[in-house]
Amino acid sequence: MTLTPAPEPVVPRPGPEVRPTAIGPRSPESPHGPDADPGAGPGAGPGPDAGRGPLLPRAVCEAALTALLLFLIVTAVRWLVGPDPGAAAARPAVLGAVVGTLLALFMMSPPGRCSGGHLNPAVSLALWRLGVFPGREVVPYAVAQLAGSLFGVWCAGLVWGPVTARPPVRHASVRADPAWGDAAVLAAEAGVLAGSTLMLAVLLASPGGRRVLPYAVGLTTALVIGVLGPLSGGSANPARQFGPALLAGDTGRLWVYVLGPALGAVLGAWLAGRTGLRRPAR
């Protein structure tokens, strides 16, 4: 046993105070600054605001919001289309405006700020590849979103009855124009998500962009549904088609509506990396 002399007292010197920093890897700072509250203010949007706090409450918020979104989509289709098959192709613009508005509102809601308001497995994948969402949470988020889709469509069937299962409603399952083959639909779905991922990369790069993100997502969604709805189906969201297709028995092209957005998310993130917009994936 050895004795060591007591350390000499440290006399503070005048000058600016140096604050200790944490040891170990640091997570990317929020665009609002290191001291900003990531969930504060409307329009926090997807990305850095997700992945904070326990996973389970955030996954539950994703499931609940996706279920409510699909319930309202089926409700909108049921009342916009009704029992008249001839009216089905005349309502994409109205449906797009409804869905776009719902997405913006959900993203700005307290549950949306809690989870990041993805409501789309391809968006969660894109945000991971952009480096603003933990990769280990992509699968739990996707499971929550797909389960919410199925539950929301099922609830709509309980509320509105058998009319939701019959044509032209068919649980709001989307269908492409017969002239569009699988390759064309796949390219359209991938292209929409690639463009949306680039938009996310640009908007998440600045506080001003983050504030307008919910409105940009809502407007983009409305345009996609209004323009591509009568052509490719305009889903651009695996969760949007998952529940409706399963309950309608319309699963022949479900793989296209799942794979296309996923490919587009990866492609868009790669393009963002080539242009210097992407953070390192984590």
Side-chain angles (χ1 to χ4, degrees):
M1 181 177 188
T2 59
L3 299 178
T4 56
E8 296 182 359
V10 179
V11 180
R13 298 181 180 181
E17 178 185 0
V18 178
R19 305 174 72 178
T21 58
I23 298 175
R26 297 178 58 188
S27 61
E29 292 182 355
S30 164
H32 293 293
D35 298 325
D37 177 9
D49 301 323
R52 308 287 180 90
L55 171 61
L56 182 59
R58 291 184 283 108
V60 169
C61 287
E62 282 291 301
L65 287 175
T66 307
L68 182 57
L69 176 65
L70 266 295
F71 175 86
L72 294 175
I73 287 176
V74 176
T75 299
V77 172
R78 184 259 178 272
W79 290 106
L80 285 173
V81 175
D84 179 13
R91 303 290 190 267
V94 176
L95 182 61
V98 170
V99 176
T101 301
L102 289 174
L103 275 178
L105 292 175
F106 287 175
M107 289 173 65
M108 293 185 291
S109 69
R113 294 186 207 168
C114 173
S115 69
H118 301 182
L119 310 183
N120 184 339
V123 168
S124 299
L125 177 63
L127 292 171
W128 167 47
R129 298 311 305 156
L130 289 174
V132 294
F133 185 69
R136 65 184 179 276
E137 296 185 357
V138 172
V139 171
Y141 261 52
V143 170
Q145 292 151 355
L146 296 177
S149 169
L150 191 60
F151 183 70
V153 177
W154 179 75
C155 287
L158 288 181
V159 172
W160 302 118
V163 68
T164 61
R166 294 194 295 262
V169 181
R170 299 190 322 272
H171 297 290
S173 177
V174 301
R175 285 190 176 183
D177 185 278
W180 282 58
D182 289 349
V185 176
L186 186 72
E189 293 284 297
V192 168
L193 253 295
S196 297
T197 301
L198 288 171
M199 179 188 72
L200 288 175
V202 171
L203 294 180
L204 286 171
S206 68
R210 286 166 51 110
R211 283 191 289 270
V212 302
L213 183 55
Y215 310 105
V217 170
L219 179 60
T220 300
T221 302
L223 291 174
V224 168
I225 295 174
V227 174
L228 290 179
L231 303 174
S232 67
S235 172
N237 180 350
R240 162 64 182 91
Q241 179 69 343
F242 182 75
L246 285 186
L247 291 182
D250 189 17
T251 58
R253 278 188 171 178
L254 180 58
W255 69 272
V256 175
Y257 291 106
V258 172
L259 181 61
L263 292 177
V266 174
L267 174 61
W270 179 80
L271 292 174
R274 298 287 292 180
T275 56
L277 297 173
R278 186 183 68 186
R279 301 179 184 181
R282 56 191 174 105

